[in-house]
Amino acid sequence: MKSFALFRLPFDEHYVELQQNSGRPLLLFHISDLNGMNGFVVVPFHVTTETPIVLIKPDVVKTHCDYKDKETCGITDFDWHDNRESYHIDFERFHQELDAGRMSKLVLSRTATVDSDRLSARATDLFIRACQRYPRMFVALVSLPDGDMWLTATPEVLLQGSHDHYNTMALAGTMRLHEEELSGEGEHIRWAAKEIEEQRYVASYIADQLKSLTVDYDEHGPRTVRAANLVHLRSDFSFNLPTNVSVCELLQTLHPTPAVCGLPKQNAYHFILSHESAPRLYYSGFMGPINFQEETHLYVTLRCMQISQQGHHTLYAGGGLLRESIEEQEWLETEAKLETMRSLLIDQ
């Protein structure tokens, strides 16, 4: 199978197709290995021999401008497997850490799976649908060397820019829009203390990491931003990267952010790897073009779907837990996040 990636940047009127027809994508095992590289990169939450960093180096680049009028179709006859009991067990285990004060925040993820061989041939249709429905998001479909494909529609920038000027963001806190709220951008949403605190954790972490690298930055926010039927709190950071700091060094510092991991970061990271029921694989990693046509656009892999060769289609979502988190509310938040991908499969 030829390796390829399709991606559409937020609000763009076109999408880009990258194909690597000669050789295989590079498999890397450290973010530092990306130094000086260019292409389309896919990075997992945790790098292993089963989930390496994948770098597609295209020899064919095409731009498509006709996706808005293309007709696609979904299906309706399938059953979901949502692992509710596993989520309950994980929540109890995670919440014990928060109650004991060993963590101030933990991010718990979950999956929902559907089996349907008919979907595999429609991966490109699903990508087109995502582009049509989610103009505010980064949308990408990538084929990995193991034969699986990953589709994402994500609002969260990890790092983007060109030359020495870059930006990143702190995106956390989630609320669902209802009825008349869907006609706006969430400008009338009133945020609860829990969401405000969760977002501040992430923003403070990013500020601290930039300071540790002696990066002077401008911070703006937080403000409410819409992503599909959800809204989040977002703070933006813009900065010029010093000559003594590489992009890869910054990526190693930022990834994974507390928005997908927790605090203290390293403790939360290792706790998740040891105790979360469903392996994250490439969910909550990052992907996008790096040093491609002199620009980098790397997004955290949220709201994503794994399309496997065996006909399994697995959707991923997660939510930040604080000490005051309530299980049913957190479950419903993940349900709302899964809807971003789930709705692409259903005729509407």
Side-chain angles (χ1 to χ4, degrees):
M1 177 184 292
K2 296 178 182 178
S3 296
F4 70 87
L6 312 177
F7 71 91
R8 199 283 320 272
L9 296 177
F11 299 107
D12 270 2
E13 298 291 325
H14 65 274
Y15 70 88
V16 179
E17 177 182 358
L18 307 177
Q19 296 180 12
Q20 181 173 344
N21 295 326
S22 58
R24 291 172 56 84
L26 292 179
L27 304 184
L28 309 172
F29 296 92
H30 301 281
I31 290 177
S32 60
D33 294 338
L34 290 169
N35 267 323
M37 297 288 188
N38 61 78
F40 190 97
V41 67
V42 186
V43 178
F45 178 72
H46 175 61
V47 177
T48 68
T49 54
E50 288 75 30
T51 53
I53 297 170
V54 178
L55 181 69
I56 295 174
K57 297 182 68 63
D59 41 37
V60 176
V61 178
K62 299 178 182 178
T63 299
H64 301 269
C65 302
D66 56 352
Y67 71 84
K68 287 193 173 182
D69 299 322
K70 184 174 180 179
E71 293 187 9
T72 62
C73 57
I75 62 175
T76 56
D77 55 337
F78 50 77
D79 296 319
W80 291 102
H81 310 283
D82 61 13
N83 303 310
R84 182 66 177 89
E85 183 58 30
S86 293
Y87 184 85
H88 168 72
I89 294 169
D90 284 356
F91 184 92
E92 290 290 313
R93 186 182 295 129
F94 277 49
H95 206 259
Q96 287 173 7
E97 293 297 299
L98 297 164
D99 270 341
R102 290 187 287 270
M103 308 281 179
S104 55
K105 174 183 176 179
L106 277 171
V107 176
L108 173 58
S109 72
R110 55 165 286 223
T111 62
T113 304
V114 61
D115 299 339
S116 175
D117 293 337
R118 292 190 296 154
L119 287 177
S120 295
R122 292 181 172 161
T124 303
D125 279 356
L126 295 176
F127 169 80
I128 295 296
R129 275 195 162 195
C131 289
Q132 292 168 339
R133 294 186 184 181
Y134 307 132
R136 301 169 179 83
M137 298 189 189
F138 172 79
V139 180
L141 173 69
V142 60
S143 171
L144 298 185
D146 63 5
D148 286 0
M149 288 184 279
W150 285 76
L151 174 69
T152 187
T154 173
E156 185 174 354
V157 172
L158 181 67
L159 185 69
Q160 68 176 357
S162 60
H163 305 294
D164 294 325
H165 188 70
Y166 292 91
N167 60 77
T168 186
M169 68 172 61
L171 190 79
T174 302
M175 291 185 67
R176 188 168 193 167
L177 298 176
H178 298 279
E179 298 176 354
E180 65 274 5
E181 294 172 340
L182 291 167
S183 63
E185 296 296 317
E187 58 270 25
H188 302 302
I189 290 293
R190 299 184 66 179
W191 292 94
K194 185 257 184 186
E195 282 77 20
I196 294 172
E197 181 181 11
E198 182 184 347
Q199 197 273 342
R200 193 63 235 162
Y201 278 144
V202 180
S204 296
Y205 172 83
I206 290 175
D208 288 343
Q209 301 315 301
L210 293 175
K211 290 174 185 174
S212 74
L213 296 173
T214 66
V215 174
D216 292 326
Y217 62 88
D218 292 319
E219 179 181 356
H220 300 282
R223 61 189 176 93
T224 300
V225 293
R226 181 172 173 179
N229 294 340
L230 305 174
V231 287
H232 307 284
L233 280 170
R234 167 177 152 182
S235 296
D236 295 291
F237 297 81
S238 59
F239 50 91
N240 290 316
L241 200 61
T243 55
N244 63 325
V245 178
S246 70
V247 167
C248 289
E249 185 178 359
L250 182 56
L251 289 173
Q252 289 180 98
T253 301
L254 293 176
H255 172 69
T257 74
V260 297
C261 185
L263 289 168
K265 175 178 168 177
Q266 287 303 315
N267 292 349
Y269 178 71
H270 291 295
F271 183 84
I272 288 168
L273 293 177
S274 299
H275 296 95
E276 207 167 55
S277 293
R280 295 191 180 190
L281 306 179
Y282 289 93
Y283 165 69
S284 68
F286 62 90
M287 68 168 66
I290 183 169
N291 298 323
F292 175 71
Q293 298 178 345
E294 299 188 351
E295 293 187 359
T296 291
H297 298 275
L298 301 176
Y299 282 75
V300 181
T301 311
L302 305 178
R303 321 288 198 273
C304 64
M305 177 194 305
Q306 177 190 12
I307 305 171
S308 76
Q309 294 187 97
Q310 291 74 32
H312 307 301
H313 297 74
T314 304
L315 282 57
Y316 294 77
L321 307 185
L322 303 182
R323 188 172 184 176
E324 59 268 31
S325 294
I326 298 170
E327 179 181 337
E328 185 61 21
Q329 292 177 358
E330 298 298 334
W331 172 263
L332 291 176
E333 179 179 315
T334 62
E335 281 287 286
K337 290 175 176 176
L338 288 172
E339 190 62 24
T340 301
M341 285 287 113
R342 182 182 281 147
S343 68
L344 299 177
L345 302 175
I346 301 172
D347 280 319
Q348 295 179 341

